[in-house]
Amino acid sequence: MKNVVVDPSTGHPRRWGILGVLVFSLLAVVLDNTILNVAMKTIADKTVGLGATQSELEWAINSYTLVFAGLLFTFGVIGDRTGRKRMLFIGMALFGLASLASAYSQDPMQLIFARAAMGIGGAAIMPATLAIISNIFPPGERGKAIGVWAGGVGLAVAIGPITGGLLIERFWWGSVFLINVPIVIISMILIATVVPESRDPKPSRLDPFGVVLSIIGLVAVVYGIIRGGELATVASAEVLVPTLIGLAVLGVFVWWERRIDHPVFDVRNFTNVRFSSAIGMMGIVFFAMMGGMFFLTFYLQVVLGFSPVQAGALMIPFAAAQLIFAPLSQRVHQRFGGKLSATVSMIVVTGALASYAIMDQSTPVLLIEIIFFVQGAAMANIMPPATTAIMESLPREKAGVGSAMSNTVRQVAGALGVAVLGSVLSSSYRGEMAPTLAGLPADAQHAAGESVVATLGLAQELGERGQALIKPAFAAFIDGMHVTALVSAVIALIGVAVVARWMPGKPRPVKHAEQKESVVV
């Protein structure tokens, strides 16, 4: 496609069609994560899955998100320098190949590494989509476009669980990754023929040392947190050493980023109140939400006994609410201002997370569905305005870096949420089950005490003798879920305080002078 001179006051003449291609391209990335949530119970099964432990499941999620987050900035800068369309195309190809590798993994470790490779492709895709949106839409339409983009994410969230359930029930577990391949092929054709090229005329230099520091630091911290959940203690050297090393490396990372003139993660942007409050809100929401989604999968499929398809269908209200309300969120934001709309939405999210602490085996399905819908509606009124605030806090030509920063915080927060809240759940469950498992051999006690899936697996192996383990296992899981839900609600409550204190109010109108400069895309 030939370069087109775009006036920022009017945008690209085919901007809405291009937006459709970008949303479709993002479908594979979002679809994969929501599908994986439904497939976790099957992957944990020793007979039809890989026999993955709870910590291996956490790593299957976090290996993707940590690599994704660690490379977002570098790929954002490379995209700004070499061309965002090019990075989007390459990212889709890498994502498709890694999806094939994930589908045919023979053991949990292979799946973890294949998922990490998927993170490389995802890191090239995500920042390019938002950067292109920022370059083809005028300021007056940018918020609406990001709302549509977020609605597309909601659509992927909606179809992901039920698609995953249908695939799991009809095919083998690897089909949840194989479904990405046709989406990737179609996306690559559309990207090549529809999406225009764009780049930063004054791109930043690369910061490979910063990238290495960030990945080492994050992986070490997350490893320590997950190991703490496995051992049910934070006092062990296996927990403290990697965690402290990770924190020290992250400290060096911050020092390095402040010292150089081309940081991969410019911490100086946090002096901008609008940017830092939006980033903080997004991080807290994803920390609490991703950790909550982790235990909800087992609650729906193991404790309540729903099939993968049924569990996927139960998640539709959450995603449908995002699909409905995300495109409308910008109107709410403009009418009431970011502070009021985000504060109310955060309060609703906090209440929804706290409500999981009252759920048990007798909770009506209708009540669960209502809570999912309310939480999804609140999330829809948080993410698009926060993303818009982040993107508009930085110069337009730095759109790739801005997108990378918002997505990095979101992914890191989500990874930490799975690690921390997953460890809280694991520690609580192990402590509750210890008396019940006391008569078993030490190895069996440790394996069965890690998760409710492991306990039920042992119960099945023991036959009639194992039936006595089922009721205590459900009770221990529900108690652990209640503790985890309350922890996530407290974290979300911190988000309420952050937003109420620092989030700016109504957005200022865009001045005509800000729309004059033309950009070639």
Side-chain angles (χ1 to χ4, degrees), residues 10 12-23 136-138 141-146 148-149 194:
T10 59
H12 196 285
R14 294 185 297 276
R15 57 192 178 278
W16 294 105
I18 296 167
L19 176 62
V21 174
L22 297 176
V23 169
I136 64 174
F137 281 92
E141 293 182 348
R142 204 171 294 151
K144 183 179 179 181
I146 291 176
V148 172
W149 177 87
V194 176

Side-chain angles (χ1 to χ4, degrees), residues 7-10 138-140 510-518:
D7 183 349
S9 64
T10 59
V510 179
K511 295 179 181 179
H512 181 71
E514 295 173 344
Q515 300 180 353
K516 286 185 178 179
E517 183 186 0
S518 293

Side-chain angles (χ1 to χ4, degrees), residues 129-303:
T129 59
L130 274 176
I132 293 170
I133 289 172
S134 293
N135 274 270
I136 64 174
F137 281 92
E141 293 182 348
R142 204 171 294 151
K144 183 179 179 181
I146 291 176
V148 172
W149 177 87
V153 173
L155 175 63
V157 172
I159 65 177
I162 194 163
T163 301
L166 289 168
L167 291 170
I168 287 291
E169 290 198 353
R170 286 163 174 75
F171 306 101
W172 94 114
W173 63 267
S175 61
V176 301
F177 298 108
L178 207 59
I179 192 66
N180 294 334
V181 177
I183 298 174
V184 165
I185 293 172
I186 295 171
S187 295
M188 291 175 70
I189 294 171
L190 291 173
I191 291 166
T193 56
V194 176
V195 176
E197 186 60 279
S198 67
R199 55 178 56 86
D200 182 356
K202 297 179 181 178
S204 303
R205 285 186 289 159
L206 299 180
D207 177 23
F209 185 62
V211 172
V212 172
L213 285 176
S214 66
I215 293 177
I216 292 174
L218 288 170
V219 169
V221 169
V222 171
Y223 174 83
I225 293 169
I226 293 177
R227 189 62 179 149
E230 290 178 342
L231 300 176
T233 179
V234 296
S236 170
E238 293 182 61
V239 178
L240 291 175
V241 171
T243 303
L244 293 176
I245 289 175
L247 291 174
V249 172
L250 290 177
V252 174
F253 169 75
V254 172
W255 169 81
W256 173 256
E257 296 304 290
R258 289 178 62 88
R259 179 175 176 270
I260 62 174
D261 60 1
H262 56 286
V264 68
F265 188 100
D266 194 348
V267 294
R268 288 163 291 201
N269 284 321
F270 285 95
T271 58
N272 182 323
V273 174
R274 188 181 186 196
F275 177 88
S276 57
S277 59
I279 282 278
M281 175 177 65
M282 185 178 289
I284 289 170
V285 166
F286 266 78
F287 182 99
M289 188 188 73
M290 291 298 292
M293 288 294 181
F294 186 80
F295 68 70
L296 280 175
T297 298
F298 296 100
Y299 172 66
L300 294 175
Q301 293 191 43
V302 178
V303 177

Side-chain angles (χ1 to χ4, degrees), residues 21-67:
V21 174
L22 297 176
V23 169
F24 184 79
S25 300
L26 196 63
L27 186 66
V29 177
V30 181
L31 191 70
D32 173 75
N33 283 301
T34 54
I35 281 181
L36 180 59
N37 284 331
V38 175
M40 284 194 296
K41 177 178 177 289
T42 305
I43 295 173
D45 192 288
K46 293 181 180 179
T47 305
V48 298
L50 297 177
T53 64
Q54 181 160 312
S55 62
E56 287 170 337
L57 290 175
E58 291 177 37
W59 274 113
I61 296 172
N62 287 336
S63 63
Y64 173 88
T65 53
L66 289 174
V67 172

Side-chain angles (χ1 to χ4, degrees), residues 79-84 198-204 397-399 401:
D80 286 344
R81 177 187 292 269
T82 64
R84 292 147 185 160
S198 67
R199 55 178 56 86
D200 182 356
K202 297 179 181 178
S204 303
E397 66 273 10
K398 300 295 182 184
V401 176

